[in-house]
Amino acid sequence: MHQRLVLSFRGISFWFPADAKYKSIEGCGLPDLDISCETLSLIVSRMFIYSGNKFNSGSCPDLPIACYHGQAYAEEVLVVRSLGKVEGLRLNLFLEVRVARGSSELRREYREEFLPFGSSCEDVVRMLGAPSKIFYKDEDKMVIHDPSPRKIHRSHHSDYFFNYFTLGMDVLFDAVSHTSKKFVLHTNFPGHYDFEM
């Protein structure tokens, strides 16, 4: 039978896979290991970093205002549906704002935005701020499936993405109408091969 051995300190816990023969010493969380057993090496299987005393009751600490550097950060991104159809995204954002005009003192401000499909570039920049990067697509492999007779003329234009790295999302704009037609939400967890790609 496999169990887990948990070694906890304030703000950090380590999980080790352990056999049933190991037990915890009450009160200190350290294992009572039989020293006479053959070479013993425990390898950490999980590590949790958190705010508080217990990993399951901790919450994420607020991002310090010094880390914002003029960018917005998403606390939550929700897909908005109506009658079974996706209408857009609802973003709960935190951003830095000056306390007073001309002041160097900054504070956090919470803002909720709704970003529907068909939003113009200007609307997206007004809601989310300037993108971290703009990427132009070299070719559109899906254009052959487009029933529009304009598909021949569309090859002269290139669709483009606004990349918002701090929000974990990209917005794809149509090259002709300059309106949003796709949202890409990045949900790669830290340590994943594609994280920060």
Side-chain angles (χ1 to χ4, degrees):
M1 176 178 175
H2 290 283
Q3 295 181 345
R4 68 174 180 254
L5 193 69
V6 180
L7 180 59
S8 295
F9 302 96
R10 182 175 172 83
I12 191 166
S13 290
F14 300 96
W15 287 21
F16 303 90
D19 293 331
K21 63 183 176 181
Y22 303 121
K23 59 183 180 181
S24 293
I25 298 174
E26 287 195 28
C28 71
L30 294 174
D32 180 17
L33 301 175
D34 182 7
I35 303 300
S36 65
C37 67
E38 59 274 357
T39 306
L40 176 71
S41 63
L42 294 175
I43 299 173
V44 174
S45 63
R46 292 184 182 183
M47 179 178 74
F48 293 92
I49 300 174
Y50 51 88
S51 176
N53 292 325
K54 295 184 178 181
F55 75 93
N56 57 356
S57 65
S59 61
C60 293
D62 292 335
L63 187 66
I65 194 74
C67 296
Y68 280 56
H69 300 290
Q71 298 291 320
Y73 286 86
E75 179 182 64
E76 185 175 39
V77 178
L78 302 169
V79 177
V80 177
R81 293 179 175 90
S82 176
L83 301 172
K85 180 181 173 190
V86 175
E87 298 288 326
L89 300 175
R90 180 159 320 281
L91 297 105
N92 298 326
L93 305 172
F94 282 107
L95 50 134
E96 68 179 8
V97 293
R98 300 216 179 273
V99 172
R101 185 176 289 221
S103 170
S104 62
E105 188 178 347
L106 301 172
R107 66 177 169 83
R108 280 173 38 124
E109 181 177 281
Y110 173 80
R111 188 167 67 194
E112 185 176 302
E113 295 287 353
F114 174 64
L115 186 61
F117 283 105
S119 298
S120 69
C121 297
E122 293 82 7
D123 289 340
V124 172
V125 170
R126 181 189 55 77
M127 286 185 250
L128 305 179
S132 305
K133 191 175 180 182
I134 299 175
F135 175 77
Y136 292 90
K137 292 173 67 173
D138 291 333
E139 61 182 63
D140 192 357
K141 296 175 182 171
M142 296 304 289
V143 79
I144 61 170
H145 301 290
D146 190 358
S148 168
R150 299 180 297 147
K151 66 183 172 186
I152 297 170
H153 301 292
R154 295 183 92 186
S155 63
H156 298 288
H157 303 285
S158 178
D159 291 348
Y160 53 97
F161 286 95
F162 278 7
N163 305 119
Y164 289 94
F165 300 127
T166 59
L167 298 178
M169 66 179 285
D170 301 324
V171 181
L172 176 64
F173 291 96
D174 183 76
V176 177
S177 66
H178 301 288
T179 57
S180 61
K181 66 179 191 176
K182 183 189 268 187
F183 303 116
V184 180
L185 303 178
H186 300 281
T187 58
N188 298 328
F189 55 88
H192 188 274
Y193 176 78
D194 292 329
F195 186 68
E196 290 187 351
M197 290 186 81

